[in-house]
Amino acid sequence: MIPGEIIEQLPPWFKNDGPDSDCVISTRVRLARNVVDYQFPLKASLLEKKNLFAAITEAVSTIPQCKDFTPLNFSNVEKVQQEFFLENRIVSSDLIVQEGDRGVIFEYGNSMSIMVNEEDHIRMQALCSGCQPEMVWQTLNSLDDQLGQLVHYAYDKKLGFLTTCPTNSGTGFRISFLMHLPGLVLTKSIDSVLAGASQMGMATRGFLGESSDVVGNYFQISNQATMGASEDKFTEDTLAIVKKIVDYERAARERILEDAKVEITDKVFRSYGLLKYARTLTVEEFLNLSSALRFGIECNLFPDMEIELLNRMTLLSLPAHMELYFNKRMDRDAQDIFRADLVKEFLPTI
């Protein structure tokens, strides 16, 4: 069972203490790796998965950088707890739907985690708050180098690292930025900005990454190409695009506050009222309403309210977190009622 203090603990990426955190919630770097002499997880037998999980776990345990990491085999973990790790962005949705021995090697409160037997044998990642791509990449690169000395990665001189999905081949490198862009949405500039980013090789996803919808004005921007350049070059190019989006977002916010302050203030306070006094709240409603509240806090419309409080509410309002927080299994209707009660409890009266 996940301890209560862990359920309420904000992960490092959601602490709002990094550079440009008014627009960039978090930075994540992920690497895909496979091990020679083992079939890809989608084709591997249950015995192969079991042996690989044991081999990777043993190798990671000898890395000084991971001395406090713990392996968690999802074949022995309840579904709600698996989804808790998904909501914390420690694992992916693909890991949950796999069969057999698979899981994650991690430490609570650490920015790094290593998934085993997801789509690839190894998916390692590092996350941090705000816009810090170079730091995150250096941290993960060090782990990759150490693990690569202990297990034999599948690698081809022409194709690079071999992965289950060809779109991850080459470097196996993905860098993504979770961004909050209400200014661009409100000024109806978001479509043109994202279209421009797409033309420059960027992909857009929702709050929880692949297969998640865009809600609450959260957009996850990441590189599409993983071949044809170095990891440093991908980082540099993606950062340049993200910096431009940040500039556009800040300009949009300034324009809104200059030209439509009454309207935006009304929208923000109406959102506060709905959050504070609603009797039911879906996840989508909460994320959309809290996005307006986040905008208000970042624009100093709520000088006594902190983003950290909003982040804590956001995390605890996600389905698995909420069930574990209240220690109660709920259907969707019950979740909506408990979510409204939870928000009412956390949100201060103004």
Side-chain angles (χ1 to χ4, degrees), residues 49-63:
K49 287 186 176 184
K50 181 180 181 68
N51 291 339
L52 180 74
F53 190 88
I56 299 301
T57 298
E58 174 61 27
V60 172
S61 70
T62 67
I63 298 175

Side-chain angles (χ1 to χ4, degrees), residues 118-131:
E118 190 232 34
E119 185 181 72
D120 292 291
H121 293 147
I122 300 168
R123 286 281 180 95
M124 64 185 83
Q125 66 174 23
L127 299 94
C128 74
S129 173
C131 186

Side-chain angles (χ1 to χ4, degrees), residues 124-190:
M124 64 185 83
Q125 66 174 23
L127 299 94
C128 74
S129 173
C131 186
Q132 304 185 72
E134 295 93 346
M135 184 272 288
V136 176
W137 165 229
Q138 289 173 7
T139 300
L140 196 62
N141 191 28
S142 173
L143 174 60
D144 182 43
D145 287 345
Q146 294 178 75
L147 185 54
Q149 294 176 2
L150 299 170
V151 298
H152 189 184
Y153 287 154
Y155 184 85
D156 181 88
K157 289 183 178 179
K158 290 184 178 181
L159 299 176
F161 292 101
L162 304 180
T163 56
T164 300
C165 183
T167 56
N168 286 324
S169 297
T171 58
F173 175 89
R174 297 280 182 186
I175 183 166
S176 63
F177 299 82
L178 180 61
M179 307 188 73
H180 184 232
L181 305 175
L184 291 174
V185 173
L186 289 169
T187 57
K188 299 182 179 179
S189 305
I190 190 66

Side-chain angles (χ1 to χ4, degrees), residues 275-291:
L275 285 170
K276 184 67 176 175
Y277 298 107
R279 294 297 184 262
T280 67
L281 282 171
T282 66
V283 173
E284 294 78 11
E285 285 175 328
F286 172 80
L287 289 174
N288 284 319
L289 292 168
S290 64
S291 172

Side-chain angles (χ1 to χ4, degrees), residues 241-260:
I241 295 169
V242 167
K243 286 288 189 182
K244 286 183 180 179
I245 296 175
V246 168
D247 290 341
Y248 294 148
E249 171 64 21
R250 288 173 177 163
R253 294 181 186 185
E254 288 180 10
R255 190 159 65 251
I256 291 169
L257 290 174
E258 287 176 3
D259 299 342

Side-chain angles (χ1 to χ4, degrees), residues 287-305:
L287 289 174
N288 284 319
L289 292 168
S290 64
S291 172
L293 200 58
R294 181 180 296 273
F295 180 87
I297 295 172
E298 289 164 346
C299 294
N300 297 315
L301 298 178
F302 293 100
D304 297 326
M305 198 177 300

